[in-house]
Amino acid sequence: MITRMSQLFLRTLREDPADAEVASHKLLVRAGYIRRTAPGVYSWLPLGLKVLRNVENVVREEMNAIGGQEIQFPALLPREPYEKSNRWTEYGDDLFRLKDRKGADYLLGPTHEEMFTLAVKDLYSSYKDFPAKLYQIQTKYRDEARPRAGLLRGREFIMKDSYSFDMDDEGLVNSYQAHRGAYCRIFDRLGIDYAVCSAVSGAMGGSASEEFLAISEVGEDTFVRSTASGYTANVEAVTTPAPAAESIEGKPEAVVHETPDATTIEALVDWANSAELGRGEITAADTLKCVMLAVTEPGKDEELLAVGVPGDREVEMKRVEASLAPAEVRLLDDADFAKNPFLVRGYIGPRALVENEVRFLVDPRIVEGSAWITGADESNRHVVDLVVGRDFTPEGTIEASDVRQGDPAPDGEGTLTLERGIEIGHIFQLGRKYTDAFEVDILDVNGKRSRPTMGSYGIGVSRLVAVLAEQNHDERGLSWPLAVAPFAVHVVIANKDAEAGEAAAALAEQISAAGVEVLFDDRPKVSPGVKFKDSELLGVPYVVVLGRGFQEGNVELRDRRTGETRVLPCNEAAATTLELVR
């Protein structure tokens, strides 16, 4: 098939769009692949749609290869199933909600666990129907607070979501591993540089969870790798190795000291080292910082939560949210402190928290028997040698503090390095959360009623287009891998000779006749310089140029990905190009 640029619905731009922050956003708009319709909402133009469909086809082929069956649910969904699973509430402001003319509540689907579960309940009744792997490639909607970076974070996006249904946990593990393998093959075929990371399930629920992250400096997700093992995890899933508990016996008594203006950890450490406490040099790691949060569990009133971390650490809200999901979490503001005068800013300690029945969770490093310098709940006063298990007992631990380069790896092998990535896939062992919610009762091999167990597996299909653009571009434009490129070959006439035009058309016909899609730049009134710039911007893998050398019977064959250019006799151009494509 040949697409002529003189007829293609395309307009390339020389300037970056004003709202674009990342390379993929800039280049996909400039090259005429997508066009902004509203914040976080994009139209797919012909070239972009071809890339999107190519990505979809790779995903579809690998899903079918593991026995997946494709179906399609509506995007407009009734409230009732999401009410039953409690996600009408849990999703909060992220849901697009609407009413029909009769006042009934609907939502635009953010994900479809409920629909898949109900479909299986409706159609299957015996263990003989299982296992089942169902998937769809469909548009999703989430009301992102900050839609940004083009296709990387949108309000409307295309996702492949699949769901496995098995009668036992062994079957779930097999389905999970089948999807994991399919995902690796998908991303390998697309040529994406990615990492598979341990992750948390969050609002999805379930147990085992892994995230696939495309390596990128513009990624919003931070993940870690061990320097000495294969350990890889999203920072939200990193567990902190806890030191051994210490003996309480013989520890000095806790003493309250005057600490003028020590409202920061730095000031507190300066005071401690000048006070000659007899503990040697004091560092921020010897202090206990209490950070105040407001937590709202689904369907419940907001409550106070205190999180205690060593003073050399910061509370990382992403890790807090992951630890407390599906609850909503925020830091306290001035109004909150005004309503709770027992919270003395800069001097909050465990005593006031316990006395006022505020839930108190601590970093795993804060072990029994350890002694801390912390707030005494009065202005300009701190307590020294407050011992865990003697002077206060937290209600439990929480993974809330930041993860840093050089921290010990949770598996005990080496230390952690930090990298950035873009989430492109997430797989979960959901278990029976949804089959229990919808009472999916199946007759097992013994004729007794049993609940199937589920897995949930997502790939951001439209996001993959942006990821491929992020990982495959240079200062001149896009550079698509052959597996997803809108065309394999771009034929360019850079010679005004009628004979050159005829030869270019014939060359395009030869390549197309072999089953390879060709983009033919036959625009008559466009300069060679503009054509060359457009070919680099569009990023088709192989570019054949009929230019000045045509008079000697030669053409140029350019490899957009490597930058290599070779001069070929015109009569060898088609065969050589096809050999490279194949």
Side-chain angles (χ1 to χ4, degrees):
M1 178 179 172
I2 300 173
T3 298
R4 294 176 176 267
M5 285 189 69
S6 60
Q7 300 168 9
L8 180 63
F9 188 63
L10 173 70
R11 181 73 68 236
T12 58
L13 306 174
R14 294 292 169 245
E15 300 296 328
D16 294 332
D19 62 332
E21 301 175 8
V22 297
S24 59
H25 189 186
K26 296 172 184 176
L27 292 171
L28 289 171
V29 173
R30 281 185 50 207
Y33 283 76
I34 62 173
R35 186 174 181 84
R36 182 181 182 273
T37 301
V41 182
Y42 288 84
S43 300
W44 292 87
L45 302 180
L47 291 181
L49 194 58
K50 286 176 72 66
V51 174
L52 178 66
R53 294 291 181 249
N54 289 340
V55 172
E56 285 181 3
N57 288 339
V58 172
V59 172
R60 185 173 283 111
E61 287 170 9
E62 294 298 339
M63 287 305 303
N64 293 344
I66 63 168
Q69 299 181 70
E70 186 172 6
I71 60 179
Q72 185 86 66
F73 285 108
L76 180 64
L77 302 170
R79 171 177 177 166
E80 288 74 18
Y82 288 81
E83 189 80 60
K84 195 169 184 65
S85 67
N86 205 37
R87 294 209 294 179
W88 178 265
T89 302
E90 285 180 5
Y91 261 111
D93 292 338
D94 284 349
L95 274 189
F96 278 105
R97 306 165 200 263
L98 63 156
K99 291 181 181 290
D100 68 10
R101 65 181 66 197
K102 297 179 181 179
D105 286 317
Y106 285 82
L107 68 148
L108 296 178
T111 184
H112 282 74
E113 280 81 0
E114 289 81 355
M115 296 297 104
F116 278 86
T117 306
L118 287 171
V120 169
K121 179 178 181 178
D122 185 38
L123 296 175
Y124 279 180
S125 59
S126 167
Y127 74 94
K128 297 176 183 178
D129 298 319
F130 294 84
K133 298 183 184 75
L134 306 173
Y135 77 95
Q136 65 175 348
I137 297 175
Q138 203 242 37
T139 305
K140 309 289 188 185
Y141 300 87
R142 295 179 192 170
D143 192 3
E144 288 282 355
R146 295 187 309 107
R148 56 179 293 273
L151 300 177
L152 292 178
R153 179 172 289 279
R155 288 175 167 163
E156 176 184 286
F157 54 94
I158 297 167
M159 181 177 173
K160 188 286 300 177
D161 52 330
S162 55
Y163 303 85
S164 62
F165 294 82
D166 291 274
M167 292 303 296
D168 55 37
D169 292 341
E170 182 181 356
L172 171 58
V173 171
N174 291 336
S175 293
Y176 182 91
Q177 291 301 325
H179 276 84
R180 192 182 194 278
Y183 276 35
C184 289
R185 289 188 292 275
I186 288 167
F187 301 136
D188 288 343
R189 284 180 61 182
L190 295 176
I192 292 173
D193 182 15
Y194 68 97
V196 187
C197 304
S198 299
V200 293
S201 298
M204 293 291 290
S207 53
S209 173
E210 287 177 291
E211 195 172 56
F212 293 76
L213 296 176
I215 313 302
S216 173
E217 292 181 359
V218 304
E220 290 189 336
D221 291 294
T222 303
F223 69 98
V224 300
R225 299 190 210 241
S226 169
T227 57
S229 72
Y231 177 84
T232 308
N234 188 303
V235 288
E236 288 95 317
V238 174
T239 54
T240 304
E246 301 176 22
S247 173
I248 294 174
E249 290 185 19
K251 290 287 174 76
E253 290 299 312
V255 178
V256 175
H257 293 261
E258 295 290 333
T259 55
D261 300 320
T263 57
T264 66
I265 295 297
E266 183 180 13
L268 180 60
V269 170
D270 288 343
W271 169 83
N273 283 315
S274 66
E276 299 182 1
L277 299 174
R279 292 182 43 158
E281 183 182 0
I282 302 297
T283 70
D286 299 311
T287 68
L288 172 61
K289 177 166 54 180
C290 297
V291 178
M292 298 305 305
L293 305 170
V295 178
T296 307
E297 300 278 355
K300 296 182 180 180
D301 293 334
E302 189 174 72
E303 295 182 342
L304 294 180
L305 170 68
V307 172
V309 298
D312 65 331
R313 296 277 168 171
E314 299 296 330
V315 167
E316 173 58 62
M317 289 302 290
K318 274 191 173 183
R319 280 171 55 78
V320 173
E321 289 164 356
S323 296
L324 300 176
E328 294 184 3
V329 186
R330 65 177 180 83
L331 292 167
L332 295 198
D333 57 24
D334 291 341
D336 296 310
F337 280 100
K339 285 189 293 186
N340 298 280
F342 66 89
L343 298 174
V344 184
R345 268 182 165 166
Y347 301 93
I348 298 171
R351 179 177 58 83
L353 300 173
V354 172
E355 289 176 356
N356 289 275
E357 299 182 341
V358 175
R359 189 178 176 208
F360 185 36
L361 302 176
V362 297
D363 182 275
R365 300 174 185 86
I366 301 171
V367 296
E368 182 171 339
S370 57
W372 301 87
I373 301 174
T374 189
D377 305 299
E378 300 177 66
S379 293
N380 300 314
R381 304 189 87 188
H382 282 83
V383 58
V384 177
D385 290 320
L386 199 72
V387 175
V388 182
R390 183 192 72 185
D391 303 313
F392 75 98
T393 302
E395 293 185 39
T397 61
I398 183 172
E399 293 293 350
S401 62
D402 56 348
V403 178
R404 296 179 181 173
Q405 190 99 358
D407 280 349
D411 64 357
E413 302 288 333
T415 58
L416 298 179
T417 61
L418 270 63
E419 298 183 47
R420 306 288 296 176
I422 300 167
E423 182 183 350
I424 51 177
H426 209 153
I427 56 179
F428 304 85
Q429 290 185 29
L430 284 179
R432 294 172 174 82
K433 174 179 177 178
Y434 294 96
T435 52
D436 282 344
F438 293 100
E439 300 177 346
V440 182
D441 290 320
I442 304 297
L443 292 179
D444 66 15
V445 67
N446 299 312
K448 296 181 178 179
R449 294 199 173 276
S450 180
R451 296 265 164 89
T453 183
M454 288 176 62
S456 174
Y457 318 92
I459 287 179
V461 176
S462 53
R463 180 179 286 185
L464 280 176
V465 176
V467 165
L468 286 161
E470 283 293 335
Q471 291 191 346
N472 297 277
H473 73 272
D474 56 24
E475 68 281 357
R476 296 169 295 170
L478 298 163
S479 178
W480 296 110
L482 191 59
V484 300
F487 303 92
V489 179
H490 187 168
V491 175
V492 177
I493 305 172
N495 189 315
K496 294 184 179 180
D497 252 355
E499 190 179 349
E502 292 172 4
L507 179 60
E509 289 286 355
Q510 280 182 276
I511 297 171
S512 175
V516 174
E517 288 200 78
V518 179
L519 178 62
F520 181 24
D521 193 346
D522 61 337
R523 294 175 293 178
K525 297 181 180 180
V526 177
S527 71
V530 170
K531 289 182 177 182
F532 292 149
K533 285 185 181 297
D534 281 346
S535 72
E536 292 171 336
L537 180 60
L538 297 180
V540 173
Y542 297 105
V543 183
V544 182
V545 180
L546 284 79
R548 294 173 182 169
F550 178 74
Q551 293 174 342
E552 284 79 47
N554 296 323
V555 300
E556 288 184 7
L557 176 57
R558 300 178 178 182
D559 186 327
R560 178 68 182 91
R561 294 179 62 75
T562 66
E564 179 185 353
T565 298
R566 65 172 90 175
V567 177
L568 301 169
C570 194
N571 59 6
E572 297 178 12
T576 304
T577 303
L578 288 170
E579 184 180 344
L580 288 172
V581 170
R582 287 166 179 163

